[in-house]
Amino acid sequence: DVKVTQSSRYLVKRTGEKVFLECVQDMDHENMFWYRQDPGLGLRLIYFSYDVKMKEKGDIPEGYSVSREKKERFSLILESASTNQTSMYLCASRQSTYGYTFGSGTRLTVV
Amino acid sequence: DQQVKQNSPSLSVQEGRISILNCDYTNSMFDYFLWYKKYPAEGPTFLISISSIKDKNEDGRFTVFLNKSAKHLSLHIVPSQPGDSAVYFCAAHDRGSTLGRLYFGRGTQLTVWP
């Protein structure tokens, strides 16, 4: 089975800090995704990547950037963390023609 | 505008009875549909899927029904168990998308009580 690993389960950061969320998948998948989950809003796509150094904006990219220097690693960057970025962040890798495998998530709190 | 809609944010069912979770979509280019289950503090896990060429897919206690003319699908869980208590997300794949993006609904919180 594909494994998607997010480096931190819980993070607490201060407003204005630059925050890095890391995601690694152990298969040679081209497509990787970053979502955030908020109560009542479901899963919202922030960014996705379809190859090394290639990225596409999702539905809510403002305040975020991404980096994909190697195929297995996809990083989400909060340039200057704000309290409205407190959320559960989920990374996914494209497992099959259609389905994703998700990581366990990172619960980020910005204070 | 949401292309995949789950209009019931929550559902409460007694153990042993049937749970029916509903999902509506607007995009006629969707060709594959999936259900994911999510427990708190964990990532979503794949549950069951259905191709648009079928109208039913069954896996143990879980059955998904697809009504293309109504652009509606439903997930049936029979019998429901307390361990089924989770958030369920409906997702759809756009065959016009070359990048494999799925579109998700907002989720339905299922609570199964003893």
Side-chain angles (χ1 to χ4, degrees):
Chain A
D1 280 349
V2 175
K3 190 171 182 181
V4 178
T5 303
Q6 294 183 233
S7 54
S8 303
R9 293 297 300 271
Y10 300 94
L11 277 178
V12 180
K13 297 292 182 180
R14 295 191 181 278
T15 302
E17 276 193 78
K18 191 168 186 176
V19 181
F20 293 84
L21 303 182
E22 305 289 342
C23 175
V24 177
Q25 48 107 350
D26 65 357
M27 293 293 288
D28 196 30
H29 289 169
E30 293 181 348
N31 294 0
M32 297 185 73
F33 307 82
W34 274 106
Y35 286 84
R36 63 178 281 179
Q37 183 203 1
D38 301 287
L41 297 178
L43 301 175
R44 294 184 292 167
L45 182 63
I46 305 171
Y47 265 98
F48 58 109
S49 170
Y50 51 94
D51 205 345
V52 175
K53 297 190 186 294
M54 306 303 285
K55 60 187 179 185
E56 288 283 338
K57 293 180 180 179
D59 300 322
I60 51 164
E62 296 78 19
Y64 303 94
S65 62
V66 290
S67 172
R68 189 143 181 225
E69 297 296 321
K70 294 184 178 181
K71 203 167 192 176
E72 66 270 19
R73 185 180 297 271
F74 190 34
S75 303
L76 180 69
I77 303 158
L78 284 68
E79 299 291 343
S80 177
S82 63
T83 54
N84 63 13
Q85 292 179 310
T86 291
S87 185
M88 167 72 90
Y89 289 87
L90 294 160
C91 176
S93 173
R94 187 179 174 190
Q95 177 182 9
S96 64
T97 305
Y98 306 105
Y100 295 178
T101 296
F102 283 89
S104 298
T106 297
R107 170 67 66 182
L108 173 67
T109 302
V110 182
V111 298
Chain B
D1 191 28
Q2 276 216 300
Q3 300 186 54
V4 177
K5 298 180 183 179
Q6 294 176 258
N7 292 320
S8 298
S10 63
L11 176 66
S12 182
V13 172
Q14 188 175 23
E15 182 179 6
R17 297 201 178 259
I18 185 171
S19 295
I20 300 176
L21 294 88
N22 293 304
C23 179
D24 297 294
Y25 62 95
T26 57
N27 189 341
S28 58
M29 294 291 285
F30 287 157
D31 64 345
Y32 203 80
F33 302 89
L34 307 93
W35 285 92
Y36 284 83
K37 176 180 178 179
K38 186 183 183 299
Y39 293 117
E42 294 184 13
T45 54
F46 169 75
L47 187 60
I48 192 170
S49 62
I50 188 167
S51 166
S52 60
I53 64 173
K54 296 186 175 181
D55 55 17
K56 177 183 175 181
N57 188 28
E58 194 170 353
D59 183 2
R61 295 187 297 114
F62 303 92
T63 303
V64 57
F65 295 92
L66 175 62
N67 182 334
K68 288 188 292 295
S69 61
K71 292 190 172 66
H72 176 83
L73 64 155
S74 61
L75 174 68
H76 293 212
I77 306 173
V78 183
S80 302
Q81 299 173 354
D84 296 330
S85 297
V87 177
Y88 290 78
F89 291 101
C90 173
H93 175 268
D94 181 351
R95 67 169 174 262
S97 165
T98 57
L99 301 179
R101 177 183 171 173
L102 295 179
Y103 292 84
F104 287 87
R106 293 188 176 184
T108 297
Q109 171 71 57
L110 173 64
T111 302
V112 181
W113 47 280

